[in-house]
PDB file of all heavy atoms in Angstrom:
ATOM      1  N   HIS A1448     -88.570  28.845   8.912  1.00 51.00           N
ATOM      2  CA  HIS A1448     -88.390  27.508   9.459  1.00 51.00           C
ATOM      3  C   HIS A1448     -87.354  26.722   8.664  1.00 51.00           C
ATOM      4  O   HIS A1448     -86.670  25.866   9.202  1.00 51.00           O
ATOM      5  CB  HIS A1448     -89.727  26.758   9.461  1.00 51.00           C
ATOM      6  CG  HIS A1448     -90.177  26.337   8.089  1.00 51.00           C
ATOM      7  ND1 HIS A1448     -90.791  27.232   7.216  1.00 51.00           N
ATOM      8  CD2 HIS A1448     -90.090  25.152   7.444  1.00 51.00           C
ATOM      9  CE1 HIS A1448     -91.070  26.597   6.088  1.00 51.00           C
ATOM     10  NE2 HIS A1448     -90.667  25.332   6.199  1.00 51.00           N
ATOM     11  N   ARG A1449     -87.227  27.038   7.391  1.00 59.00           N
ATOM     12  CA  ARG A1449     -86.199  26.346   6.605  1.00 59.00           C
ATOM     13  C   ARG A1449     -84.802  26.759   7.059  1.00 59.00           C
ATOM     14  O   ARG A1449     -83.869  25.959   7.051  1.00 59.00           O
ATOM     15  CB  ARG A1449     -86.389  26.646   5.127  1.00 59.00           C
ATOM     16  CG  ARG A1449     -87.598  25.929   4.536  1.00 59.00           C
ATOM     17  CD  ARG A1449     -87.673  26.075   3.052  1.00 59.00           C
ATOM     18  NE  ARG A1449     -87.819  27.493   2.670  1.00 59.00           N
ATOM     19  CZ  ARG A1449     -87.874  27.923   1.422  1.00 59.00           C
ATOM     20  NH1 ARG A1449     -87.809  27.068   0.438  1.00 59.00           N
ATOM     21  NH2 ARG A1449     -88.000  29.204   1.160  1.00 59.00           N
ATOM     22  N   ASP A1450     -84.633  28.040   7.435  1.00 61.00           N
ATOM     23  CA  ASP A1450     -83.354  28.477   7.993  1.00 61.00           C
ATOM     24  C   ASP A1450     -83.058  27.732   9.284  1.00 61.00           C
ATOM     25  O   ASP A1450     -81.923  27.314   9.545  1.00 61.00           O
ATOM     26  CB  ASP A1450     -83.400  29.982   8.241  1.00 61.00           C
ATOM     27  CG  ASP A1450     -82.020  30.526   8.588  1.00 61.00           C
ATOM     28  OD1 ASP A1450     -81.038  29.782   8.397  1.00 61.00           O
ATOM     29  OD2 ASP A1450     -81.927  31.663   9.052  1.00 61.00           O
ATOM     30  N   GLU A1451     -84.086  27.550  10.094  1.00 64.00           N
ATOM     31  CA  GLU A1451     -83.894  26.810  11.337  1.00 64.00           C
ATOM     32  C   GLU A1451     -83.536  25.354  11.040  1.00 64.00           C
ATOM     33  O   GLU A1451     -82.666  24.758  11.689  1.00 64.00           O
ATOM     34  CB  GLU A1451     -85.176  26.887  12.179  1.00 64.00           C
ATOM     35  CG  GLU A1451     -85.057  26.217  13.542  1.00 64.00           C
ATOM     36  CD  GLU A1451     -84.114  26.956  14.469  1.00 64.00           C
ATOM     37  OE1 GLU A1451     -83.817  28.142  14.206  1.00 64.00           O
ATOM     38  OE2 GLU A1451     -83.650  26.344  15.439  1.00 64.00           O
ATOM     39  N   VAL A1452     -84.215  24.799  10.038  1.00 66.00           N
ATOM     40  CA  VAL A1452     -83.898  23.422   9.657  1.00 66.00           C
ATOM     41  C   VAL A1452     -82.454  23.331   9.146  1.00 66.00           C
ATOM     42  O   VAL A1452     -81.722  22.379   9.474  1.00 66.00           O
ATOM     43  CB  VAL A1452     -84.891  22.921   8.590  1.00 66.00           C
ATOM     44  CG1 VAL A1452     -84.422  21.583   8.004  1.00 66.00           C
ATOM     45  CG2 VAL A1452     -86.272  22.783   9.183  1.00 66.00           C
ATOM     46  N   ALA A1453     -82.032  24.309   8.329  1.00 63.00           N
ATOM     47  CA  ALA A1453     -80.663  24.309   7.816  1.00 63.00           C
ATOM     48  C   ALA A1453     -79.660  24.426   8.955  1.00 63.00           C
ATOM     49  O   ALA A1453     -78.607  23.760   8.963  1.00 63.00           O
ATOM     50  CB  ALA A1453     -80.467  25.456   6.826  1.00 63.00           C
ATOM     51  N   ARG A1454     -79.985  25.294   9.920  1.00 68.00           N
ATOM     52  CA  ARG A1454     -79.071  25.438  11.061  1.00 68.00           C
ATOM     53  C   ARG A1454     -78.981  24.140  11.859  1.00 68.00           C
ATOM     54  O   ARG A1454     -77.898  23.701  12.257  1.00 68.00           O
ATOM     55  CB  ARG A1454     -79.548  26.580  11.956  1.00 68.00           C
ATOM     56  CG  ARG A1454     -78.600  26.919  13.093  1.00 68.00           C
ATOM     57  CD  ARG A1454     -79.161  28.044  13.929  1.00 68.00           C
ATOM     58  NE  ARG A1454     -80.422  27.653  14.546  1.00 68.00           N
ATOM     59  CZ  ARG A1454     -80.495  26.889  15.661  1.00 68.00           C
ATOM     60  NH1 ARG A1454     -79.405  26.450  16.233  1.00 68.00           N
ATOM     61  NH2 ARG A1454     -81.671  26.578  16.171  1.00 68.00           N
ATOM     62  N   ILE A1455     -80.153  23.525  12.053  1.00 71.00           N
ATOM     63  CA  ILE A1455     -80.152  22.247  12.788  1.00 71.00           C
ATOM     64  C   ILE A1455     -79.391  21.186  11.997  1.00 71.00           C
ATOM     65  O   ILE A1455     -78.635  20.391  12.562  1.00 71.00           O
ATOM     66  CB  ILE A1455     -81.602  21.806  13.066  1.00 71.00           C
ATOM     67  CG1 ILE A1455     -82.278  22.781  14.034  1.00 71.00           C
ATOM     68  CG2 ILE A1455     -81.629  20.392  13.613  1.00 71.00           C
ATOM     69  CD1 ILE A1455     -83.750  22.507  14.233  1.00 71.00           C
ATOM     70  N   LEU A1456     -79.573  21.181  10.662  1.00 69.00           N
ATOM     71  CA  LEU A1456     -78.883  20.205   9.830  1.00 69.00           C
ATOM     72  C   LEU A1456     -77.365  20.414   9.888  1.00 69.00           C
ATOM     73  O   LEU A1456     -76.590  19.467   9.999  1.00 69.00           O
ATOM     74  CB  LEU A1456     -79.378  20.312   8.392  1.00 69.00           C
ATOM     75  CG  LEU A1456     -78.742  19.323   7.396  1.00 69.00           C
ATOM     76  CD1 LEU A1456     -78.999  17.889   7.821  1.00 69.00           C
ATOM     77  CD2 LEU A1456     -79.293  19.569   5.993  1.00 69.00           C
ATOM     78  N   THR A1457     -76.953  21.693   9.842  1.00 71.00           N
ATOM     79  CA  THR A1457     -75.518  21.996   9.943  1.00 71.00           C
ATOM     80  C   THR A1457     -74.954  21.546  11.283  1.00 71.00           C
ATOM     81  O   THR A1457     -73.876  20.943  11.366  1.00 71.00           O
ATOM     82  CB  THR A1457     -75.289  23.501   9.753  1.00 71.00           C
ATOM     83  OG1 THR A1457     -75.796  23.905   8.482  1.00 71.00           O
ATOM     84  CG2 THR A1457     -73.795  23.827   9.819  1.00 71.00           C
ATOM     85  N   GLN A1458     -75.720  21.833  12.330  1.00 72.00           N
ATOM     86  CA  GLN A1458     -75.264  21.396  13.655  1.00 72.00           C
ATOM     87  C   GLN A1458     -75.224  19.871  13.737  1.00 72.00           C
ATOM     88  O   GLN A1458     -74.308  19.300  14.332  1.00 72.00           O
ATOM     89  CB  GLN A1458     -76.197  21.971  14.731  1.00 72.00           C
ATOM     90  CG  GLN A1458     -75.766  21.654  16.156  1.00 72.00           C
ATOM     91  CD  GLN A1458     -76.679  22.295  17.181  1.00 72.00           C
ATOM     92  OE1 GLN A1458     -77.700  22.881  16.829  1.00 72.00           O
ATOM     93  NE2 GLN A1458     -76.315  22.183  18.444  1.00 72.00           N
ATOM     94  N   HIS A1459     -76.226  19.242  13.111  1.00 72.00           N
ATOM     95  CA  HIS A1459     -76.234  17.778  13.109  1.00 72.00           C
ATOM     96  C   HIS A1459     -75.006  17.222  12.382  1.00 72.00           C
ATOM     97  O   HIS A1459     -74.375  16.263  12.854  1.00 72.00           O
ATOM     98  CB  HIS A1459     -77.522  17.283  12.443  1.00 72.00           C
ATOM     99  CG  HIS A1459     -77.507  15.798  12.179  1.00 72.00           C
ATOM    100  ND1 HIS A1459     -77.638  14.873  13.176  1.00 72.00           N
ATOM    101  CD2 HIS A1459     -77.345  15.101  11.011  1.00 72.00           C
ATOM    102  CE1 HIS A1459     -77.572  13.659  12.651  1.00 72.00           C
ATOM    103  NE2 HIS A1459     -77.401  13.763  11.338  1.00 72.00           N
ATOM    104  N   GLN A1460     -74.682  17.825  11.252  1.00 71.00           N
ATOM    105  CA  GLN A1460     -73.510  17.369  10.517  1.00 71.00           C
ATOM    106  C   GLN A1460     -72.236  17.567  11.328  1.00 71.00           C
ATOM    107  O   GLN A1460     -71.355  16.702  11.347  1.00 71.00           O
ATOM    108  CB  GLN A1460     -73.405  18.113   9.182  1.00 71.00           C
ATOM    109  CG  GLN A1460     -74.531  17.778   8.208  1.00 71.00           C
ATOM    110  CD  GLN A1460     -74.484  18.630   6.966  1.00 71.00           C
ATOM    111  OE1 GLN A1460     -73.749  19.625   6.914  1.00 71.00           O
ATOM    112  NE2 GLN A1460     -75.285  18.294   5.952  1.00 71.00           N
TER     113      GLN A1460
END
Side-chain angles (χ1 to χ4, degrees):
H1448 73 280
R1449 287 188 298 178
D1450 190 12
E1451 184 68 18
V1452 170
R1454 186 181 62 80
I1455 294 173
L1456 181 59
T1457 302
Q1458 184 177 6
H1459 170 73
Q1460 293 174 348

